[in-house]
């Protein structure tokens, strides 16, 4: 409790770590997460620091581990994650570990290299067989088209492959065949045509099964081509072009027998390669499986080691170079724990001289630490999002726990909706240890982190919903209405009384569309509804007018109480920081101003509620007019709320003016005094003009702020109105239509209508409206409440703790 | 889209512009350079680069680091970024990107032809080619023996084709001819790019034209200086000058007649922009090299391009700035690895 009200008191401690034990000490500290290190070598660039060699070693280890994880993932071997996180490795083991890992890496690289080579070989052979198979059909086709080659002597029996006759023409017929990437075929053909000026014939066909590209590992479509050309020169060019387009070229068999021979040879070799490849893969898998067992703990260990060296790099050496000096922020409550951690570390390393610490006084502002638990964490986050509190200032999160869900609920008041929200939050809370929820992403994560906020928001919405008597826009009659309709009939009263009152008889009831209940008629109003709004208002046409007046006044009252509370909290701040004069010269004038104007407004509202009854309601003055007149015509002759009001108003007004003026003047003087006091310590230039300006601006801002902030609290009314109206519209548009259909077919229609109603309720009323109410509640806290006392100019305490290191495998993080 | 780029520039190119501005923010700062210069060896350099936006781009390097590894890795990173921009771009920005790659393509083609002339294996030269300018037909370049051959057979379908209009010749490609070809190609490329930007109008023209004008003039100066003492005739020389710069037409005529550095300087005296640049160039050892002076000016112009919004110039400027940064890192790395520390500070700071 105390720690949530203010941040914990911190002290600056100096740790003297013996060079031999520093590593173990920091390891012990990291496990406990007690202290925040200060960088003592800020001017030293990263590669000139003391432990850069060790950092490099850690990075090398990380690189190897990343490689291992990558290979293991590639082989689809599950990576077991340990439950407990292993401690940072002792220094003696590090070398051993490094050696082991390096050996493993070399072995792995060797094996994978072999494997890749084999695979490539295999791929080439497969490609070759495909090529042979496909080109066979080319040749057949060539034979068919043979008559078109008119310039050649007829080749009746010889196949085209037998090119001896070609030699007779003085030109040598050559073939180049191979595979080419699908995307490059067109450009390839064009280029061949342009370069060889048509002295080539290209035939190609698509390969039906896609093959892997040995360079990129992608599986793509290939084309098999066969180029026939004449002449050495052109052949040379063709080969060049094939190189340029990264074609895979394979020798083309000249005769059918040769082709057959090659194909058979290929088949046996492919068989052999398959078996070898399988063996290699099995072996690789074995190695990887063995590696996978320890890889998780290794990764964590290396991470911890790296974190330790990172922190050691922030320490400075003392003159004798025998011990490291670290400066840390530590919560005063944890100093004992810190000592124990240092002892543990020293003992573990077996050092003769223990490491020790002493606290040093400092004038620097320490970081802010507010310990939270899973319940308060969400509320603290809301406050921290505005600004981390200054050191030891009053922490609004404590009050936010109640006020935030409450203000939210004022806007979201509907106990049906609130109950659904409560149930959802309850579900999350009860299952909070479920692993799937813990690892969920984005939006679900957001809900999960705010589950306790949601829970309270739901609960409070149920409460305000009961007050508003709204359940999915319908009222619930639990206690029985306090209004009695039958009392309005003239028959129920004695005839004497008839003249004074407007009573109903049969003709009135029959001919009027709207009937008015008059509470001044005896028996009609039997006293207020025990809890919340009377359900009979749900039937009234002037329901909105009634509720508006109620909600508006309620929001103003709540807002002013909230703000006054904020100003009061400022007093605690001044008390704590020993600025008593600020209480007299800032807080009390502020309070006076607030209470004399807006407190008086509340008084008027309550007074009017209490004093005027149904009978006298016609003569009740308007609060708004009274309030305005109080400022504009202090002596005007209106009918006041109560006798003697004008006198009071005058007195109050005068005194209030004086107070506020005096107050602001005093504020200025007060701050002057404060500055005088501080001057000895800080030796700062005292500038009267500047202080005066800030104070004048501050007082003006506060006065104007009070008015605009009060107006700002009217959003409570506006949003609650909007929510109620929206749910009303949804009911009228959907459910009423569904319910009006006659009974026989109604069920068929009602089912989809209800489904639709549920969906719209969840998405529009719960999620969308909920979000907007949430945002407005946040704003009311950040702006209207917190600017009364909260500075929020601190820095967060970030302990050196291993638990803050990522504990999971993030593949992208490692790779 | 003339006149009102502000209105709908963001519809098509807003995402990329935002991205490129973010990338620009990750350029190395002065402090980074100061730290880099202090490095003792390449490992230190790697560690420092890890703290910058380069991240662990060298992490999976097992062997010892060399300058060329760093260079190729950086190029790859740049290329990845550029490919991303290009893949997400719409017309006419994608044409603009194509124009940007053309200069690298020209360099690659020339590099390959030179390699073929010296009978080096294609694989070795391919490794040296700039990845931004690589294209599919590139490796077939060495089939060609004459310029028109090159055009007809290999480059007719590449974006380079239009630049071939005035360099079709049947001369066999020897070293001088290749160099001529490069300059002619570059000239027509620059002119075409200039025209594209000019026609595009709007802020793009206002930003890009001065940059391209400067580029053209720089080439004119450098061609002039390099041609001293070669067999290049003055007419030939003039035909190589890009005509879209500020020097056109009088300055180029004067430059064509220049015979030594003093005369070139006198030509530059007529231009307020170039006078201080050439004045800053010192003699052999003192002062700066002409190239560095031009680079500095280029960096200035490119940085200024980021001061305006809704134009394509930022992409060009970003790539150029990155390239300059890479040159700086390579320079520093070379100095470190060769233990040649006296000149380590003569990198060109990007402000």
């Amino acid at each position: 409790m105390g720690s949530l009200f203010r941040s914990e008191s911190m002290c600056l401690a100096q740790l003297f770590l013996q060079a031999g034990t520093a590593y173990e000490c920091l390891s012990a500290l990291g496990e406990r997460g007690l202290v925040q290190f200060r960088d003592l070598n800020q001017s030293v660039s990263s590669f000139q620091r003391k432990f850069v060699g060790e950092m490099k070693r850690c990075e090398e280890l990380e690189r190897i581990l990343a490689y291992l994880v990558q290979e293991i993932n590639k082989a689809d071997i599950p990576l077991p994650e340990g439950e407990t996180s292993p401690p940072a490795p002792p220094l003696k083991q590090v070398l051993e570990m490094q050696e082991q890992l390096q050996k493993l890496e070399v072995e792995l690289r060797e094996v994978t290299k072999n494997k890749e080579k084999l695979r490539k070989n295999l791929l080439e052979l497969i490609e070759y067989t495909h090529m042979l198979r496909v080109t066979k059909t080319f040749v057949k086709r060539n034979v068919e088209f043979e008559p078109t080659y008119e310039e050649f002597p007829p080749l009746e029996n010889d196949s085209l492959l037998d090119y001896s006759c070609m030699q007779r023409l003085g030109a040598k017929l050559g073939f180049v065949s191979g595979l080419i990437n699908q995307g490059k075929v067109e450009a390839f053909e064009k280029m061949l045509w342009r370069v060889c000026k048509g002295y080539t014939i290209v035939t190609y066909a698509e390969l039906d099964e896609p093959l892997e590209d040995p360079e990129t590992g992608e599986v793509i479509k290939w084309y098999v081509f066969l180029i026939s050309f004449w002449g050495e020169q052109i052949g040379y060019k063709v080969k060049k072009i094939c190189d340029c387009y990264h074609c895979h070229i394979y020798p083309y068999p000249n005769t059918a027998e040769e082709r057959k021979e090659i194909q058979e040879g290929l088949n046996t070799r492919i068989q052999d390669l398959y078996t070898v490849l399988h063996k290699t893969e099995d072996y690789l898998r074995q190695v990887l499986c063995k590696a996978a067992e320890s890889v998780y703990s290794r990764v964590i260990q290396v991470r911890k080691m790296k974190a330790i060296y990172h922190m050691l790099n922030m320490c400075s050496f003392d003159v004798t170079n025998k011990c490291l000096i670290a400066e840390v922020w530590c919560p005063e409550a944890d100093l004992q724990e810190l000592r124990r951690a240092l002892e543990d570390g020293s003992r573990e390393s077996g050092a003769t001289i223990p490491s020790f610490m002493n606290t040093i006084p400092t004038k620097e502002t320490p970081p802010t630490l507010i310990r939270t638990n899973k319940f308060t964490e969400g509320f603290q986050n809301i406050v921290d999002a505005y600004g981390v509190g200054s050191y030891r200032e009053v922490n609004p999160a404590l009050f936010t726990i109640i006020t935030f869900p409450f203000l939210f609920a004022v806007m979201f008041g509907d106990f049906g909706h609130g109950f659904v929200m409560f149930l959802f939050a309850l579900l999350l809370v009860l299952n909070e240890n479920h692993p799937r929820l813990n690892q969920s992403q984005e939006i679900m994560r957001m809900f999960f982190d705010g589950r306790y906020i949601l829970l309270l928001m739901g609960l409070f919405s149920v409460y305000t919903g009961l007050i508003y008597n709204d359940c999915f826009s319908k009222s619930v009659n639990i206690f029985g209405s306090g209004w009695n309709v039958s009392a309005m009939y003239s028959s129920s009263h004695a005839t004497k009384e008839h003249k004074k009152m407007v009573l109903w008889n049969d003709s009135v009831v029959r001919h009027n569309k709207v009937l008015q209940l008059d509470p001044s008629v005896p028996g009609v109003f039997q006293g207020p509804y025990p809890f919340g709004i009377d359900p009979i208002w749900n039937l009234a046409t002037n329901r909105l007018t009634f509720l508006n007046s109620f909600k508006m006044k309620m929001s103003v009252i709540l807002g002013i109480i909230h703000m006054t509370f904020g100003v009061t909290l400022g007093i605690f701040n001044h008390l704590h920081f020993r600025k008593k004069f600020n209480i007299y010269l800032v807080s009390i004038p502020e309070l006076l101003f607030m209470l004399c104007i807006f407190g008086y407004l509340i008084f008027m509202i309550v007074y009017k509620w209490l004093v005027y009854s149904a009978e006298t309601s016609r003569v009740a003055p308007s609060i708004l007019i009274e309030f305005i007149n109080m400022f504009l015509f202090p002596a005007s002759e209106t009918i006041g709320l109560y006798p003697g009001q004008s006198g009071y108003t005058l007195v109050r007004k005068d005194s209030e003016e004086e107070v506020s003026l005096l107050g602001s003047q005093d504020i200025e003087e007060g701050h002057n005094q404060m500055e005088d006091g501080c001057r000895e310590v800080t030796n700062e230039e005292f500038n009267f003009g500047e202080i005066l300006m800030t104070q004048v601006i501050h007082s003006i801002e506060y006065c104007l702020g009070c008015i605009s902030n009060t107006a700002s609290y009217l959003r409570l009314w506006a949003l609650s109105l909007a929510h109620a109206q929206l749910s009303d519209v949804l009911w009228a548009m959907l459910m009423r239509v569904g319910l009006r259909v006659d009974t026989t077919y109604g069920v068929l229609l009602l089912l989809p209508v209800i489904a639709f109603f549920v969906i719209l309720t969840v998405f529009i009323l719960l999620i969308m409206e909920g979000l907007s109410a949430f945002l407005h509640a946040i704003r009311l806290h950040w702006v209207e409440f917190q600017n009364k006392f909260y500075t929020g100019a601190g820095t967060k305490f970030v302990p050196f703790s291993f638990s803050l290191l990522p504990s999971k495998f993030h593949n992208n993080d490692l790779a | 889209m003339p006149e009102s780029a502000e209105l709908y520039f963001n519809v098509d190119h807003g995402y990329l512009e935002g991205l490129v501005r973010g990338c620009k923010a990750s350029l190395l700062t002065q402090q980074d350079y100061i730290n880099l210069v202090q490095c003792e060896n390449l490992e230190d350099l790697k560690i420092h680069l890890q703290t910058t936006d380069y991240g662990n781009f060298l992490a999976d390097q097992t062997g010892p680091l060399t300058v060329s590894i760093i260079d190729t890795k950086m190029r790859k990173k740049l290329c990845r970024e550029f490919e991303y921009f290009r893949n997400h771009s719409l017309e006419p920005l994608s044409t603009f990107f194509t124009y940007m790659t053309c200069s690298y393509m020209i360099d690659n083609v020339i590099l390959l032809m030179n390699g073929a002339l010296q009978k080096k294996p294609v694989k070795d030269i391919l490794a040296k080619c700039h990845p931004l300018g690589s294209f599919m037909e590139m490796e077939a370049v060495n089939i060609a023996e004459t310029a028109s051959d090159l055009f007809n057979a290999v480059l007719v379908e590449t974006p380079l084709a239009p630049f071939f209009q005035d360099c079709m010749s049947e001369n066999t490609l020897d070293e001088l001819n290749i160099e001529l070809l490069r300059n002619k190609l570059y000239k027509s490329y620059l002119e075409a790019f200039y025209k594209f930007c000019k026609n595009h109008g709007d802020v793009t023209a206002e930003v890009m034209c001065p940059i391209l004008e400067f580029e053209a003039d720089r080439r004119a100066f450098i061609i002039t200086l390099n041609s001293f003492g070669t067999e290049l005739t003055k007419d030939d020389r003039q035909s190589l000058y890009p005509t879209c710069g500020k020097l056109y037409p009088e300055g180029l005529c004067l430059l064509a007649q220049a015979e030594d550095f003093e005369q070139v300087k006198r030509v530059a005296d007529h231009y307020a922009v170039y006078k201080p640049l050439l004045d800053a160039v010192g003699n052999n050892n003192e002062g700066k090299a002409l190239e560095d002076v031009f680079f500095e000016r280029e960096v200035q112009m490119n940085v200024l391009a980021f001061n305006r919004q809704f134009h394509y110039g930022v992409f060009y400027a970003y790539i150029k700035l990155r390239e300059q940064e890479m040159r700086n890192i390579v320079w520093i790395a070379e100095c470190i690895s060769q233990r040649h520390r006296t000149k380590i500070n003569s990198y060109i700071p990007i402000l």
Side-chain angles (χ1 to χ4, degrees), chain A residues 564-578:
Chain A
T564 316
F565 182 56
V567 177
T568 323
L569 285 179
I571 296 178
F572 286 94
N573 268 343
H574 298 317
L575 274 180
H576 182 267
F577 293 118
R578 293 176 204 286

Side-chain angles (χ1 to χ4, degrees), chain A residues 69 89 165 257 429 521 577 717 729 770 793:
Chain A
V69 170
C165 36
E257 293 91 64
V429 169
V521 173
F577 293 118
W717 161 44
V729 165

Side-chain angles (χ1 to χ4, degrees), chain A residues 143-259:
Chain A
V143 175
E144 280 163 30
F145 288 128
E146 207 179 326
T148 54
Y149 298 103
E150 281 170 4
E151 62 268 55
F152 302 137
L155 305 160
E156 274 130 19
N157 299 323
D158 299 341
S159 77
L160 188 72
L161 301 175
D162 189 7
Y163 53 94
S164 52
C165 36
M166 233 54 76
Q167 278 166 328
R168 263 186 280 138
L169 288 171
K172 194 177 160 197
L173 182 63
F175 293 100
V176 172
S177 59
L179 276 83
I180 185 170
N181 207 325
Q182 185 189 25
K184 292 177 181 166
V185 175
E186 207 175 319
F188 176 62
E189 200 188 354
K190 270 189 198 162
M191 166 100 78
L192 270 179
W193 173 256
R194 282 199 304 266
V195 172
C196 308
K197 315 225 163 59
Y199 287 107
T200 51
I201 296 169
V202 189
T203 348
Y204 51 85
E206 197 180 335
L207 209 59
D208 13 290
E209 54 186 297
L211 291 174
E212 203 177 306
D213 187 345
E215 271 157 46
T216 59
E218 249 179 296
V219 178
I220 40 173
K221 281 267 187 191
W222 292 89
Y223 271 78
V224 173
F225 64 85
L226 174 69
I227 306 167
S228 7
F229 57 88
W230 288 267
E232 291 272 348
Q233 275 299 313
I234 288 180
Y236 171 70
K237 282 184 180 172
V238 167
K239 287 208 176 92
K240 266 270 168 65
I241 294 172
C242 288
D243 278 349
C244 146
Y245 282 90
H246 301 282
C247 305
H248 303 160
I249 294 172
Y250 300 100
Y252 184 76
N254 287 325
T255 61
E257 293 91 64
E258 205 180 323
R259 176 193 300 274

Side-chain angles (χ1 to χ4, degrees), chain A residues 379-400:
Chain A
F379 297 99
Q380 187 65 52
N381 282 343
I382 290 180
V383 173
D384 283 353
Y386 173 80
V388 175
S390 305
Y391 178 62
R392 299 290 284 160
E393 99 176 305
V394 170
N395 177 21
L398 177 64
F399 314 104
T400 305

